[in-house]
């Protein structure tokens, strides 16, 4: 939690200092990894800009404060999930949730970003006024409706619904007498020790929960409809730790970061180019862990190609160790129905449990569900094209910070935050107040927002914006290409329209 050092807190809900006519140069929405990063870049590169970070919850950290389930951890290494400007100094490369939260809290505290965060501020809607060249933002502040205005709206609120995760309609679930919990709703009073547990799911959350719960549960069964790719990775980066001994902290961090970025890009391209061979290798690695007698084809051989969905990483083979020692097991089948004691499968097999954990995924939601309008006309985000993976066609002075599907989230958000600052600097230098991406090329054709087959993306596809088939509308999912585009590419590129709307007249 942010420390109280006796200064006036911008985050105090119900304060009298936030009037309806308050105006900020930049408004950042969300105080997770992206929002704290935005605060750093704004302070360093646009020190003359007034800004605030609005956080709907009572604490910073985003995902890493929300999720409290056993074993919560990153599936990306911390040398790339960490910020470019702040070295990760922990021993673990695949870090647990509390360690990541400590890193974010320290970043916000050390740079004074925490004093810019206003907690319990939920953005409900935002309307762009062209004559005024500003957004009017409607807020819910502890149940009270308020407004403020801003020249630039930077949405750093993540990509999923914080209120609830995805929960399928399981037949017969009301008849189950045990405890059912979704990982997103985990609280500290939930006890799994000594219990028979079923974890429904096969994604990153499930493979995180299973080995951790298996340490104290009577037994943990991972029940999956279909397998995911699961690969073991070292919990520590031996090269990174060695470099720290002989080099300055930042240099060692940057070298390790680039080593991991380049290796990740190399293996991603290799797997996409040779999917059959890549699949055989990934499945073979699981077979090496579990032995020739384990049915790897059934439980760990997906129907899709590598990186059609994200590959799940388990540090130091902890999940495979739990399966080997018998504290955990995997069932691949379809749920027929819940009943009083557990779950009956389509095969007829009965799985009894004292607790069922539904690791069934996220409910995708961009911009925290806030409603947008331009001059009073509602915006249909699903009809917009994404510009450089961070802005939207015909929507002025608004950027969205998201990460990569095939690499660490923060790699992209660092670039996005820095680019927003370049954009603001350019507008100041040219005396313009509005920047709007415009589709001027008749050959640009829409394509799905993300080329990924994960369930949470497919469920939300109809509500997501589109990408184009060519730059700057195409979403690369490639860090090197984005560096060229966002760090070194032109801001005034012929597609971004800069303008100076006629100011609205103030009534006498």
């Amino acid at each position: 939690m942010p420390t109280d050092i006796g200064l006036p807190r911008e985050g105090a809900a119900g304060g009298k200092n936030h009037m309806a006519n308050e105006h900020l140069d930049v408004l950042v929405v969300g105080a997770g990894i992206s929002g704290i990063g935005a605060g750093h870049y704004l302070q360093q590169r646009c020190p003359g800009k007034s800004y605030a970070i609005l956080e709907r919850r009572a604490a910073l950290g985003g995902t890493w404060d929300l999720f409290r389930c056993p074993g919560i951890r990153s599936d990306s290494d911390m040398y790339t999930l960490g910020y470019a400007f702040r070295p990760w100094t922990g021993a673990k490369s695949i870090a647990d949730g509390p360690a990541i939260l400590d890193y974010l809290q320290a970043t916000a505290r050390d740079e004074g970003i925490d004093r810019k965060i206003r907690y319990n501020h939920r953005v409900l809607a935002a309307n762009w006024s062209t004559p005024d060249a500003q957004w009017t933002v409607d807020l819910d502040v502890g149940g009270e409706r308020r407004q403020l205005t801003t020249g630039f709206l930077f949405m750093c609120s993540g990509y999923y619904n914080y209120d609830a995760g995805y929960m399928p309609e399981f037949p017969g679930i009301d008849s189950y007498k045990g405890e059912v919990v979704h990982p997103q709703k985990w609280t500290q009073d939930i006890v799994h020790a000594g219990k028979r547990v079923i974890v429904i799911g096969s994604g990153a959350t499930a493979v995180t929960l299973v080995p951790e719960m298996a340490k104290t549960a009577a037994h943990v069964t991972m029940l999956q409809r279909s397998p995911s790719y699961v690969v073991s990775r070292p919990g520590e980066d031996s090269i990174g730790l060695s470099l720290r001994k002989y080099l300055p902290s930042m240099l060692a961090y940057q070298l390790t970061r680039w080593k991991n970025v380049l290796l990740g890009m190399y293996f991603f391209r290799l797997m996409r180019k040779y999917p059959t061979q890549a699949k055989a290798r990934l499945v073979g690695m699981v077979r090496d862990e579990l032995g020739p007698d384990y049915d790897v084809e059934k439980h760990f051989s997906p129907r899709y190609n590598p990186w059609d969905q994200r590959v799940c990483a388990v540090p130091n083979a902890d999940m495979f160790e739990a399966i080997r020692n018998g504290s955990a097991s995997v069932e691949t089948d379809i749920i027929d129905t819940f009943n009083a004691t557990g779950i009956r499968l389509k095969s007829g097999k009965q799985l009894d449990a004292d607790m069922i954990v539904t690791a069934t995924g996220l409910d995708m939601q961009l911009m925290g569900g806030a409603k947008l309008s331009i001059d009073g006309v509602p915006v249909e985000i699903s009809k917009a094209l994404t510009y450089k993976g961070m802005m939207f066609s015909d929507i002025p002075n608004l950027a969205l910070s998201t990460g990569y599907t095939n690499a660490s989230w923060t790699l992209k958000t660092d670039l996005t935050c820095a680019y927003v600052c370049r954009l603001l600097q350019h507008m100041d230098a040219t005396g313009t107040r509005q920047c709007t991406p415009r589709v001027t090329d008749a050959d640009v054709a829409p394509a799905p927002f993300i080329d990924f087959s994960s369930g949470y993306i497919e469920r939300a596809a109809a509500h997501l914006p589109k990408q184009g088939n060519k730059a700057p509308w195409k979403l690369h999912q490639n860090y090197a290409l984005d560096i060229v585009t966002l760090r070194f590419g032109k801001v005034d590129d012929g597609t971004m329209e800069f303008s100076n709307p006629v100011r609205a007249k103030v009534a006498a």
Side-chain angles (χ1 to χ4, degrees), residues 358-398:
T358 55
T360 45
L362 304 169
D363 177 20
M364 197 167 185
Q365 182 186 67
L366 294 184
M367 297 184 281
K371 305 297 183 182
L372 301 180
S373 57
I374 297 176
D375 296 322
V377 179
V379 170
E380 292 186 53
I381 198 72
S382 61
K383 294 184 178 180
L385 292 183
T386 55
Y387 169 82
K388 296 184 179 179
M390 54 168 285
M391 297 180 75
F392 303 98
S393 58
D394 301 326
I395 302 179
N397 293 37
L398 181 144

Short mmCIF file of all heavy atoms in Angstrom, two decimals, residues 358-398:
data_model
loop_
_atom_site.label_atom_id
_atom_site.label_comp_id
_atom_site.label_asym_id
_atom_site.label_seq_id
_atom_site.Cartn_x
_atom_site.Cartn_y
_atom_site.Cartn_z
N THR A 358 -12.59 -22.61 -10.06
CA THR A 358 -12.94 -22.42 -11.47
C THR A 358 -11.95 -21.45 -12.12
O THR A 358 -12.20 -20.26 -12.24
CB THR A 358 -14.37 -21.89 -11.62
OG1 THR A 358 -14.50 -20.69 -10.84
CG2 THR A 358 -15.38 -22.91 -11.14
N ALA A 359 -10.81 -21.99 -12.55
CA ALA A 359 -9.80 -21.19 -13.25
C ALA A 359 -10.17 -21.13 -14.73
O ALA A 359 -9.42 -21.59 -15.60
CB ALA A 359 -8.41 -21.79 -13.05
N THR A 360 -11.33 -20.58 -15.00
CA THR A 360 -11.95 -20.65 -16.33
C THR A 360 -11.72 -19.42 -17.17
O THR A 360 -12.31 -19.27 -18.24
CB THR A 360 -13.46 -20.90 -16.18
OG1 THR A 360 -13.99 -20.03 -15.15
CG2 THR A 360 -13.72 -22.33 -15.76
N GLY A 361 -10.86 -18.52 -16.70
CA GLY A 361 -10.45 -17.42 -17.55
C GLY A 361 -10.99 -16.06 -17.15
O GLY A 361 -11.71 -15.89 -16.17
N LEU A 362 -10.63 -15.09 -17.97
CA LEU A 362 -10.97 -13.69 -17.74
C LEU A 362 -12.14 -13.26 -18.60
O LEU A 362 -12.44 -13.86 -19.63
CB LEU A 362 -9.76 -12.81 -18.09
CG LEU A 362 -8.45 -13.12 -17.37
CD1 LEU A 362 -7.31 -12.34 -18.01
CD2 LEU A 362 -8.55 -12.77 -15.89
N ASP A 363 -12.79 -12.21 -18.16
CA ASP A 363 -13.82 -11.54 -18.96
C ASP A 363 -13.16 -10.30 -19.55
O ASP A 363 -12.90 -9.33 -18.84
CB ASP A 363 -15.01 -11.17 -18.07
CG ASP A 363 -16.09 -10.41 -18.84
OD1 ASP A 363 -16.12 -10.49 -20.08
OD2 ASP A 363 -16.91 -9.73 -18.19
N MET A 364 -12.86 -10.32 -20.84
CA MET A 364 -12.10 -9.24 -21.46
C MET A 364 -12.93 -7.96 -21.50
O MET A 364 -14.09 -7.97 -21.88
CB MET A 364 -11.67 -9.65 -22.86
CG MET A 364 -10.56 -8.80 -23.44
SD MET A 364 -9.84 -9.54 -24.90
CE MET A 364 -8.50 -8.39 -25.23
N GLN A 365 -12.29 -6.87 -21.13
CA GLN A 365 -12.97 -5.58 -21.08
C GLN A 365 -11.94 -4.47 -21.23
O GLN A 365 -11.10 -4.27 -20.37
CB GLN A 365 -13.72 -5.42 -19.75
CG GLN A 365 -14.51 -4.14 -19.61
CD GLN A 365 -15.10 -4.00 -18.21
OE1 GLN A 365 -14.38 -3.83 -17.23
NE2 GLN A 365 -16.42 -4.07 -18.13
N LEU A 366 -11.98 -3.76 -22.35
CA LEU A 366 -11.05 -2.66 -22.57
C LEU A 366 -11.52 -1.40 -21.87
O LEU A 366 -12.72 -1.15 -21.75
CB LEU A 366 -10.89 -2.38 -24.06
CG LEU A 366 -10.24 -3.48 -24.92
CD1 LEU A 366 -10.08 -3.00 -26.35
CD2 LEU A 366 -8.91 -3.93 -24.35
N MET A 367 -10.57 -0.63 -21.39
CA MET A 367 -10.82 0.69 -20.79
C MET A 367 -11.76 0.64 -19.60
O MET A 367 -12.51 1.59 -19.34
CB MET A 367 -11.33 1.67 -21.86
CG MET A 367 -10.29 1.92 -22.95
SD MET A 367 -10.74 3.14 -24.20
CE MET A 367 -11.82 2.17 -25.23
N GLY A 368 -11.75 -0.48 -18.90
CA GLY A 368 -12.53 -0.58 -17.68
C GLY A 368 -14.02 -0.46 -17.87
O GLY A 368 -14.76 -0.22 -16.92
N GLY A 369 -14.49 -0.64 -19.11
CA GLY A 369 -15.92 -0.55 -19.39
C GLY A 369 -16.43 0.87 -19.53
O GLY A 369 -17.64 1.09 -19.65
N ALA A 370 -15.55 1.86 -19.54
CA ALA A 370 -15.98 3.26 -19.68
C ALA A 370 -16.60 3.50 -21.04
O ALA A 370 -16.14 2.99 -22.06
CB ALA A 370 -14.80 4.20 -19.47
N LYS A 371 -17.66 4.30 -21.09
CA LYS A 371 -18.35 4.64 -22.33
C LYS A 371 -17.74 5.92 -22.92
O LYS A 371 -17.58 6.92 -22.21
CB LYS A 371 -19.85 4.85 -22.08
CG LYS A 371 -20.54 3.68 -21.39
CD LYS A 371 -20.50 2.42 -22.25
CE LYS A 371 -21.27 1.28 -21.58
NZ LYS A 371 -21.19 0.02 -22.37
N LEU A 372 -17.44 5.88 -24.20
CA LEU A 372 -16.85 7.03 -24.86
C LEU A 372 -17.85 7.67 -25.81
O LEU A 372 -18.68 6.99 -26.41
CB LEU A 372 -15.61 6.61 -25.67
CG LEU A 372 -14.46 5.95 -24.92
CD1 LEU A 372 -13.33 5.61 -25.89
CD2 LEU A 372 -13.95 6.83 -23.79
N SER A 373 -17.73 8.99 -25.96
CA SER A 373 -18.52 9.72 -26.95
C SER A 373 -17.71 10.90 -27.45
O SER A 373 -16.80 11.38 -26.77
CB SER A 373 -19.86 10.19 -26.36
OG SER A 373 -19.65 11.01 -25.22
N ILE A 374 -18.02 11.34 -28.66
CA ILE A 374 -17.36 12.49 -29.26
C ILE A 374 -18.42 13.51 -29.64
O ILE A 374 -19.33 13.21 -30.42
CB ILE A 374 -16.54 12.08 -30.50
CG1 ILE A 374 -15.41 11.11 -30.10
CG2 ILE A 374 -15.95 13.32 -31.20
CD1 ILE A 374 -14.61 10.58 -31.26
N ASP A 375 -18.35 14.66 -29.03
CA ASP A 375 -19.35 15.72 -29.24
C ASP A 375 -20.76 15.18 -29.02
O ASP A 375 -21.69 15.50 -29.77
CB ASP A 375 -19.20 16.33 -30.63
CG ASP A 375 -17.86 17.03 -30.82
OD1 ASP A 375 -17.40 17.66 -29.85
OD2 ASP A 375 -17.27 16.92 -31.91
N GLY A 376 -20.89 14.35 -27.99
CA GLY A 376 -22.19 13.81 -27.62
C GLY A 376 -22.63 12.58 -28.37
O GLY A 376 -23.66 11.98 -28.03
N VAL A 377 -21.86 12.15 -29.39
CA VAL A 377 -22.23 10.97 -30.18
C VAL A 377 -21.46 9.76 -29.65
O VAL A 377 -20.21 9.78 -29.63
CB VAL A 377 -21.91 11.18 -31.67
CG1 VAL A 377 -22.27 9.92 -32.47
CG2 VAL A 377 -22.64 12.39 -32.21
N PRO A 378 -22.15 8.69 -29.22
CA PRO A 378 -21.47 7.52 -28.68
C PRO A 378 -20.48 6.91 -29.67
O PRO A 378 -20.73 6.86 -30.88
CB PRO A 378 -22.61 6.54 -28.37
CG PRO A 378 -23.81 7.42 -28.20
CD PRO A 378 -23.62 8.55 -29.16
N VAL A 379 -19.36 6.46 -29.16
CA VAL A 379 -18.32 5.83 -29.97
C VAL A 379 -18.50 4.32 -29.92
O VAL A 379 -18.63 3.74 -28.84
CB VAL A 379 -16.92 6.20 -29.46
CG1 VAL A 379 -15.85 5.35 -30.14
CG2 VAL A 379 -16.65 7.68 -29.66
N GLU A 380 -18.50 3.68 -31.09
CA GLU A 380 -18.52 2.22 -31.15
C GLU A 380 -17.08 1.77 -31.40
O GLU A 380 -16.59 1.78 -32.53
CB GLU A 380 -19.43 1.74 -32.27
CG GLU A 380 -20.91 2.01 -32.02
CD GLU A 380 -21.80 1.40 -33.09
OE1 GLU A 380 -21.66 0.18 -33.34
OE2 GLU A 380 -22.59 2.14 -33.69
N ILE A 381 -16.41 1.37 -30.33
CA ILE A 381 -15.00 1.03 -30.42
C ILE A 381 -14.76 -0.16 -31.34
O ILE A 381 -13.68 -0.30 -31.94
CB ILE A 381 -14.42 0.76 -29.01
CG1 ILE A 381 -12.89 0.84 -29.01
CG2 ILE A 381 -14.89 -0.56 -28.46
CD1 ILE A 381 -12.34 2.21 -29.15
N SER A 382 -15.75 -1.02 -31.50
CA SER A 382 -15.60 -2.20 -32.35
C SER A 382 -15.48 -1.83 -33.82
O SER A 382 -15.06 -2.66 -34.64
CB SER A 382 -16.79 -3.14 -32.16
OG SER A 382 -18.00 -2.51 -32.52
N LYS A 383 -15.81 -0.60 -34.18
CA LYS A 383 -15.71 -0.16 -35.58
C LYS A 383 -14.43 0.61 -35.85
O LYS A 383 -14.18 1.03 -36.99
CB LYS A 383 -16.92 0.70 -35.94
CG LYS A 383 -18.23 -0.07 -35.93
CD LYS A 383 -19.40 0.80 -36.39
CE LYS A 383 -20.70 -0.01 -36.42
NZ LYS A 383 -21.85 0.83 -36.86
N ALA A 384 -13.63 0.81 -34.82
CA ALA A 384 -12.40 1.57 -34.97
C ALA A 384 -11.23 0.65 -35.32
O ALA A 384 -11.24 -0.55 -35.01
CB ALA A 384 -12.09 2.33 -33.69
N LEU A 385 -10.21 1.22 -35.95
CA LEU A 385 -8.95 0.52 -36.20
C LEU A 385 -7.91 1.00 -35.21
O LEU A 385 -7.86 2.19 -34.86
CB LEU A 385 -8.44 0.78 -37.62
CG LEU A 385 -9.24 0.22 -38.80
CD1 LEU A 385 -8.51 0.53 -40.11
CD2 LEU A 385 -9.46 -1.27 -38.67
N THR A 386 -7.06 0.10 -34.75
CA THR A 386 -6.00 0.48 -33.82
C THR A 386 -4.83 1.09 -34.57
O THR A 386 -4.38 0.56 -35.59
CB THR A 386 -5.50 -0.73 -33.02
OG1 THR A 386 -5.10 -1.76 -33.91
CG2 THR A 386 -6.58 -1.25 -32.10
N TYR A 387 -4.34 2.20 -34.07
CA TYR A 387 -3.22 2.92 -34.67
C TYR A 387 -1.97 2.66 -33.82
O TYR A 387 -1.94 2.97 -32.63
CB TYR A 387 -3.54 4.41 -34.72
CG TYR A 387 -2.39 5.32 -35.07
CD1 TYR A 387 -2.02 5.51 -36.40
CD2 TYR A 387 -1.68 5.98 -34.08
CE1 TYR A 387 -0.96 6.36 -36.73
CE2 TYR A 387 -0.63 6.82 -34.39
CZ TYR A 387 -0.27 7.01 -35.72
OH TYR A 387 0.77 7.84 -36.04
N LYS A 388 -0.96 2.04 -34.43
CA LYS A 388 0.30 1.71 -33.76
C LYS A 388 0.06 0.91 -32.48
O LYS A 388 0.86 0.96 -31.54
CB LYS A 388 1.11 2.97 -33.48
CG LYS A 388 1.56 3.68 -34.76
CD LYS A 388 2.44 4.89 -34.49
CE LYS A 388 2.89 5.52 -35.80
NZ LYS A 388 3.74 6.72 -35.61
N GLY A 389 -1.05 0.18 -32.44
CA GLY A 389 -1.35 -0.66 -31.29
C GLY A 389 -1.67 0.10 -30.03
O GLY A 389 -1.69 -0.49 -28.94
N MET A 390 -2.00 1.41 -30.13
CA MET A 390 -2.17 2.20 -28.91
C MET A 390 -3.23 3.29 -29.01
O MET A 390 -3.66 3.82 -28.00
CB MET A 390 -0.85 2.83 -28.50
CG MET A 390 -0.20 3.65 -29.61
SD MET A 390 1.16 4.69 -29.08
CE MET A 390 0.27 5.98 -28.25
N MET A 391 -3.66 3.66 -30.24
CA MET A 391 -4.70 4.66 -30.40
C MET A 391 -5.75 4.13 -31.38
O MET A 391 -5.60 3.01 -31.89
CB MET A 391 -4.12 6.00 -30.86
CG MET A 391 -3.16 6.62 -29.86
SD MET A 391 -2.46 8.21 -30.37
CE MET A 391 -3.86 9.32 -30.13
N PHE A 392 -6.80 4.92 -31.62
CA PHE A 392 -7.91 4.43 -32.43
C PHE A 392 -8.29 5.44 -33.50
O PHE A 392 -8.25 6.65 -33.25
CB PHE A 392 -9.12 4.13 -31.54
CG PHE A 392 -8.84 3.16 -30.44
CD1 PHE A 392 -8.56 3.61 -29.16
CD2 PHE A 392 -8.85 1.79 -30.68
CE1 PHE A 392 -8.30 2.73 -28.14
CE2 PHE A 392 -8.57 0.90 -29.66
CZ PHE A 392 -8.30 1.35 -28.39
N SER A 393 -8.67 4.93 -34.66
CA SER A 393 -9.07 5.80 -35.75
C SER A 393 -10.23 6.70 -35.34
O SER A 393 -11.20 6.26 -34.73
CB SER A 393 -9.48 4.95 -36.97
OG SER A 393 -10.54 4.07 -36.65
N ASP A 394 -10.09 7.98 -35.66
CA ASP A 394 -11.12 9.01 -35.47
C ASP A 394 -11.43 9.31 -34.01
O ASP A 394 -12.43 9.98 -33.72
CB ASP A 394 -12.42 8.62 -36.20
CG ASP A 394 -12.20 8.45 -37.70
OD1 ASP A 394 -11.37 9.19 -38.26
OD2 ASP A 394 -12.84 7.57 -38.30
N ILE A 395 -10.62 8.81 -33.08
CA ILE A 395 -10.81 9.14 -31.66
C ILE A 395 -9.62 9.99 -31.22
O ILE A 395 -8.49 9.51 -31.16
CB ILE A 395 -10.92 7.88 -30.79
CG1 ILE A 395 -12.10 7.02 -31.26
CG2 ILE A 395 -11.10 8.26 -29.32
CD1 ILE A 395 -12.28 5.74 -30.47
N PRO A 396 -9.85 11.27 -30.93
CA PRO A 396 -8.74 12.18 -30.62
C PRO A 396 -8.23 12.08 -29.19
O PRO A 396 -8.97 11.73 -28.27
CB PRO A 396 -9.35 13.57 -30.87
CG PRO A 396 -10.81 13.38 -30.61
CD PRO A 396 -11.14 11.97 -31.00
N ASN A 397 -6.94 12.36 -29.03
CA ASN A 397 -6.32 12.56 -27.71
C ASN A 397 -6.64 11.45 -26.72
O ASN A 397 -6.92 11.71 -25.55
CB ASN A 397 -6.75 13.92 -27.14
CG ASN A 397 -6.19 15.08 -27.92
OD1 ASN A 397 -6.09 15.02 -29.16
ND2 ASN A 397 -5.84 16.16 -27.24
N LEU A 398 -6.58 10.22 -27.19
CA LEU A 398 -6.80 9.06 -26.32
C LEU A 398 -5.84 7.95 -26.73
O LEU A 398 -5.72 7.63 -27.92
CB LEU A 398 -8.24 8.57 -26.39
CG LEU A 398 -8.59 7.37 -25.50
CD1 LEU A 398 -10.02 7.50 -24.94
CD2 LEU A 398 -8.46 6.04 -26.25
#
